[in-house]
């Protein structure tokens, strides 16, 4: 099977079913979808080694929130997405109300499509120090939350996983939440999709640059990963464009002709490999992002930050967040 880069479990499932040409569910995978055309939620649960092999992802829960109009400047929609996201995150956070949470904003704040994590951290309710030094001024239901944006290996010279492991050893949080930019295989899912997973994360995976994983195995505490796709592989875009062109030509070419049979029987593996080989000398491993990515990252990061805020702090609503965020 040719390798199309995606970090979304939902897309891994779609591609498996497409390549296997089957309508039945992927073996070892359970899927539930609910919601509306504005906000839909798909819960993918990988329950067996068969599912792990088919999906190429660890066993666990993957929640995907799709909001086709999320890029639009619609405050009411953004607030509704915050609440849906907060509800899904709350249901997956299985720790005591007073347990400490460390939020990690992965990515490079100097590169806009990769700045999601640091942007989210800048809008979080960071409360651990308040509960330690001025607890009488903190509302009931606020838990200790600390946060860091550790940068990337190219900026620090230190593996991100090593930085986080050192902080975890010192602070001893009960849970780590890691936010990172992801890669999608479809442009319409760029910055319109949020994924929550309880399996941890590999920093840099969105651009094919995997580092030390942030998982319960490497850190010793549960890790929830939150990601938003901000880039798509150029070779994938070219491949999809050619597929659409072939589909269009098949409708116009006489069935049974030699040209028709050639188009119909074109090997997808060979086609995708050929595209990569042609593009590589000119553009290398190019990732593509929308031109308005600055505004998109700004808006989406606030949606995620506010969702995390109201999910972690019971009794705190969106109207209370500004009192804790500076």
């Amino acid at each position: 099977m040719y390798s199309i880069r995606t970090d979304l479990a939902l897309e891994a499932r779609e591609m498996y079913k497409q390549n296997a040409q089957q309508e039945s569910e992927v073996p070892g995978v359970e899927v539930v979808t609910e919601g509306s055309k504005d906000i839909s939620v798909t819960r993918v649960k990988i329950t067996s080694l068969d599912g792990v092999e088919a999906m190429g992802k660890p066993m666990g829960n993957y929640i995907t929130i799709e909001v086709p109009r999320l890029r639009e400047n619609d405050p009411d929609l953004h607030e509704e997405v915050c609440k849906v996201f907060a509800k899904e995150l709350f249901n997956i956070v299985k720790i005591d109300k007073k347990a400490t949470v460390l939020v990690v904003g992965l990515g490079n704040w100097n590169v806009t499509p990769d700045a999601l994590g640091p942007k989210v951290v800048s809008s979080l309710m960071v409360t651990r120090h308040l509960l330690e030094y001025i607890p009488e001024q903190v509302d009931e239901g606020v838990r200790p939350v600390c946060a860091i944006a550790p940068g990337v290996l190219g900026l620090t010279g230190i593996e991100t996983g090593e930085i986080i492991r050192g902080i975890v050893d010192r602070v001893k949080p009960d849970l780590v939440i890691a936010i990172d930019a992801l890669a999608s295989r479809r442009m319409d899912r760029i910055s319109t999709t949020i994924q929550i997973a309880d399996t941890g994360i590999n920093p840099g995976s969105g651009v094919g640059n995997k580092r030390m994983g942030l998982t319960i195995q490497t850190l010793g505490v549960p890790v929830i990963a939150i990601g938003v796709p901000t880039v798509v592989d150029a070779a994938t875009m070219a491949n999809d464009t050619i597929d659409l062109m072939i589909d269009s030509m098949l409708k116009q070419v006489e069935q049974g002709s030699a040209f028709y049979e050639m188009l119909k029987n074109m090997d997808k593996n060979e086609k995708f490999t050929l595209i990569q080989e042609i593009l590589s000398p000119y553009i290398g491993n190019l990732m593509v992002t929308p031109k308005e990515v600055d505004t998109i990252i700004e808006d989406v990061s606030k949606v995620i930050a506010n969702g995390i805020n109201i999910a972690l702090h019971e009794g705190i609503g969106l109207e209370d967040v500004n009192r804790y965020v500076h």
Side-chain angles (χ1 to χ4, degrees), residues 9 50 61 77 79 81 83 96 123 125 132 140 147 178 181 195 201 227 236 243 266 275 295 317:
D50 288 338
N61 296 284
L77 177 64
E79 183 173 333
V81 176
K83 293 176 181 177
D96 185 77
S123 299
M125 284 176 54
E132 183 175 351
E140 186 70 27
Q195 177 174 268
I201 195 169
T236 300
D243 281 343
M266 186 175 292
I275 291 170
T295 304

Side-chain angles (χ1 to χ4, degrees), residues 3-178:
S3 176
I4 291 181
R5 183 174 299 154
T6 179
D7 294 313
L8 298 177
L10 182 65
E11 291 185 341
R13 167 183 172 256
E14 290 173 349
M15 287 190 292
Y16 179 89
K17 294 182 71 173
Q18 180 180 356
N19 288 318
Q21 296 183 345
Q22 64 178 41
E23 293 297 325
S24 59
E25 195 48 70
V26 180
V29 175
E30 300 173 2
V31 180
V32 176
T33 300
E34 60 183 38
S36 64
K37 66 177 182 179
D38 288 330
I39 305 175
S40 68
V41 179
T42 302
R43 302 181 186 92
V44 177
K45 184 176 183 179
I46 302 177
T47 59
S48 71
L49 294 178
D50 288 338
V52 171
E53 184 177 352
M55 299 278 284
K57 296 187 178 297
M59 223 180 289
N61 296 284
Y62 300 83
I63 301 167
T64 305
I65 303 170
E66 295 183 272
V67 190
R69 297 194 299 113
L70 186 57
R71 295 187 197 178
E72 299 177 12
N73 185 21
D74 185 339
D76 293 334
L77 177 64
H78 288 182
E79 183 173 333
E80 186 62 28
V81 176
C82 275
K83 293 176 181 177
V84 172
F85 169 70
K87 178 182 176 182
E88 297 298 329
L89 181 59
F90 177 80
N91 290 336
I92 210 171
V93 173
K94 297 180 174 66
I95 55 174
D96 185 77
K97 295 179 181 179
K98 295 184 179 180
T100 300
V101 176
L102 169 64
V103 181
V104 180
L106 299 168
N108 187 343
W109 47 77
N110 295 317
V111 180
T112 305
D114 196 33
L116 177 71
K119 283 279 189 183
V120 170
V121 164
S122 68
S123 299
L124 280 179
M125 284 176 54
V126 178
T127 57
R128 180 172 176 266
H129 61 305
L130 300 178
L131 288 163
E132 183 175 351
Y133 296 112
I134 50 171
E136 68 281 356
Q137 297 185 30
V138 180
D139 293 333
E140 186 70 27
V142 172
R143 76 162 71 243
V145 172
C146 48
I148 185 170
V152 294
L153 181 64
L155 293 175
T156 65
I158 310 171
E159 283 279 5
T160 302
E162 294 177 351
I163 296 174
I164 304 307
R165 187 163 57 188
I167 295 173
V168 168
D169 290 344
R170 181 70 177 179
V171 175
K172 300 189 183 327
D174 300 280
L175 175 72
V176 172
I177 296 178

Side-chain angles (χ1 to χ4, degrees), residues 173-296:
D174 300 280
L175 175 72
V176 172
I177 296 178
I179 303 110
D180 199 9
L182 307 178
S184 174
R185 61 101 52 233
R186 281 173 40 183
M187 280 302 299
D188 60 356
R189 283 199 171 112
I190 299 297
S191 303
T192 63
T193 304
I194 303 170
Q195 177 174 268
I196 308 170
D198 61 4
T199 57
I201 195 169
N202 286 294
S205 62
V207 292
N209 192 21
K210 291 186 180 181
R211 299 295 180 186
M212 171 185 163
L214 305 181
T215 65
I216 191 171
Q217 289 78 19
T218 60
L219 299 181
V221 296
V223 179
I224 292 176
I226 298 171
V228 174
T230 61
V231 294
V232 65
D233 186 21
T236 300
M237 287 188 64
N239 183 72
D240 290 350
T241 302
I242 292 174
D243 281 343
L244 290 172
M245 183 181 68
I246 291 173
D247 290 341
S248 178
M249 292 174 67
L250 283 170
K251 295 176 182 177
Q252 302 175 36
V253 176
E254 182 182 351
Q255 292 191 24
S257 67
F259 187 47
Y260 179 88
E261 293 301 322
M262 183 194 74
L263 291 174
K264 185 178 179 181
N265 298 320
M266 186 175 292
D267 185 274
K268 291 187 176 182
N269 293 294
E270 292 180 0
K271 175 167 59 67
F272 188 72
T273 302
L274 179 62
I275 291 170
Q276 288 180 313
E277 290 175 354
I278 292 173
L279 292 178
S280 183
Y282 301 100
I283 61 175
N285 190 17
L286 179 67
M287 307 301 292
V288 182
T289 195
K291 65 178 181 179
E292 65 274 18
V293 67
D294 302 74
T295 304
I296 291 172

